[in-house]
Amino acid sequence: MTHIHEHASVNTTYPDTRLPVPAASSSAVSWGAIFAGAAAAASLSLILLILGAGLGLTAVSPWESRGLDAGTVGIAAIAWLTFTQIVASGMGGYLAGRLRSKWVDTHTDEVYFRDTAHGFLAWAVAALVSAALLTSTMSAIVGGGAKVVGTVAGGATVATATGAASMANGSSAVEGSSMNYFVNSLFRANNPGTPANGAADPASPAAAPAPAAPSQQHVSPAQLGEVTGIFANSITTGALPQEDRQYVAQLIAQNTGITQQEAEQRVQSTYDKAQAKLKEAKEKAQQAADTARKTTSYLMLWTFISLLAGAFVASLCATFGGRQRDL
């Protein structure tokens, strides 16, 4: 008995060389690994987007028949956006799975599910961070397209009326505009070198002496503004009233020396040209609005698809990273 007691006392003096069993994780979510993966994904996504923007600017040329066309640039932008999402989300998901804490005494299926969830959460946090940083840009894209579609119907008419009002007030901001051109063309004098009404050449001996032309007056800015207002209102309503046409023709006859009938013909011809010009401008604006609507729709659709691809790749890569962590 004494020998056994002494032997037991000797054994207690040696240290315990057994490895400690790791404690089980208290939480199924490793937020540190998730935020680390999200930060890496957001940073890599930003770098790749900047690179893609640089490559896109080098592919587009302001000169005609040079560089890539709009369709090719759009396809390249969609492909680069998808590539960016896949690479950045894959990197973030892998880091989230590799850096998470090890779960002890956990079923394999549960570990697989948790790794997948870690990858998805890392992608979600990265997407929220990117959305917060790019909110103004996305709002400008979507809001700009909606604004173009919503205001295109009356945009050309409003612009014409605004230009007319500015001209009437003596503003120089609308000089060279279409309305300014049409109104000024009404008060042009006849070419003195061209015989009117089929008259013979004045230099010919047989030519009768031409009657003295009525005295021409200089058109005042107030008259230009008044005629501009009449044209702007009639183009807006879609018809030029008879009394307005006669009044404008009277002003033209007084300032150019042509007859009242010729002045009315000039007024009607100029009005038809201005109306055709406005119609052409409206059609071009509608085509531009439709193109912007389609472009915005395609951009949002492919952005949605690329984000889904990023979520899938992040979840898949997180399972690879978690498997490497548990080896």
Side-chain angles (χ1 to χ4, degrees):
M1 292 294 293
T2 305
H3 179 73
I4 296 175
H5 178 72
E6 292 178 354
H7 182 73
S9 301
V10 172
N11 287 340
T12 56
T13 60
Y14 291 96
D16 190 1
T17 57
R18 292 176 300 175
L19 295 176
V21 178
S25 177
S26 60
S27 175
V29 181
S30 299
W31 286 108
I34 291 174
F35 285 119
S43 301
L44 183 57
S45 177
L46 178 61
I47 294 174
L48 292 177
L49 287 177
I50 293 176
L51 176 60
L55 294 177
L57 290 176
T58 59
V60 178
S61 174
W63 303 103
E64 188 177 1
S65 302
R66 294 185 181 181
L68 301 178
D69 58 353
T72 304
V73 173
I75 295 175
I78 291 172
W80 186 260
L81 178 63
T82 305
F83 171 78
T84 299
Q85 272 293 313
I86 292 175
V87 173
S89 300
M91 175 62 69
Y94 180 82
L95 291 178
R98 188 68 181 269
L99 297 177
R100 52 89 173 165
S101 58
K102 186 174 183 179
W103 297 298
V104 182
D105 297 334
T106 305
H107 195 272
T108 305
D109 293 338
E110 180 65 19
V111 173
Y112 183 83
F113 171 79
R114 292 182 182 183
D115 286 337
T116 304
H118 274 65
F120 180 80
L121 289 175
W123 167 86
V125 173
L128 291 177
V129 172
S130 301
L133 296 177
L134 301 178
T135 298
S136 59
T137 304
M138 297 301 295
S139 298
I141 294 175
V142 179
K147 184 180 294 184
V148 169
V149 175
T151 60
V152 66
T157 302
V158 172
T160 303
T162 304
S166 300
M167 186 185 301
N169 294 330
S171 174
S172 61
V174 294
E175 292 180 1
S177 63
S178 298
M179 183 61 69
N180 195 1
Y181 168 77
F182 287 125
V183 172
N184 288 331
S185 66
L186 291 173
F187 294 93
R188 291 177 182 173
N190 286 340
N191 188 354
T194 303
N197 300 326
D201 188 356
S204 175
S215 59
Q216 299 181 4
Q217 301 178 2
H218 181 70
V219 59
S220 64
Q223 290 175 334
L224 283 176
E226 185 179 12
V227 174
T228 300
I230 293 175
F231 260 54
N233 179 72
S234 61
I235 289 178
T236 303
T237 58
L240 179 63
Q242 178 68 23
E243 58 273 13
D244 289 341
R245 183 168 62 250
Q246 292 177 353
Y247 176 73
V248 175
Q250 183 180 359
L251 292 177
I252 295 173
Q254 292 175 359
N255 289 275
T256 61
I258 63 177
T259 63
Q260 178 73 16
Q261 183 179 3
E262 292 175 343
E264 290 186 9
Q265 293 177 356
R266 179 183 291 187
V267 171
Q268 188 63 43
S269 176
T270 304
Y271 172 78
D272 293 339
K273 292 179 182 179
Q275 199 171 32
K277 185 72 174 179
L278 177 62
K279 183 178 180 181
E280 180 182 359
K282 283 185 176 181
E283 291 178 354
K284 290 182 178 180
Q286 289 173 349
Q287 292 176 358
D290 187 62
T291 302
R293 177 188 60 83
K294 292 180 179 179
T295 302
T296 304
S297 176
Y298 292 154
L299 177 61
M300 295 298 101
L301 177 61
W302 283 104
T303 301
F304 168 76
I305 294 175
S306 65
L307 287 174
L308 284 184
F312 174 78
V313 173
S315 301
L316 182 63
C317 290
T319 61
F320 295 154
R323 190 178 306 169
Q324 293 292 327
R325 167 65 179 83
D326 293 337
L327 289 179

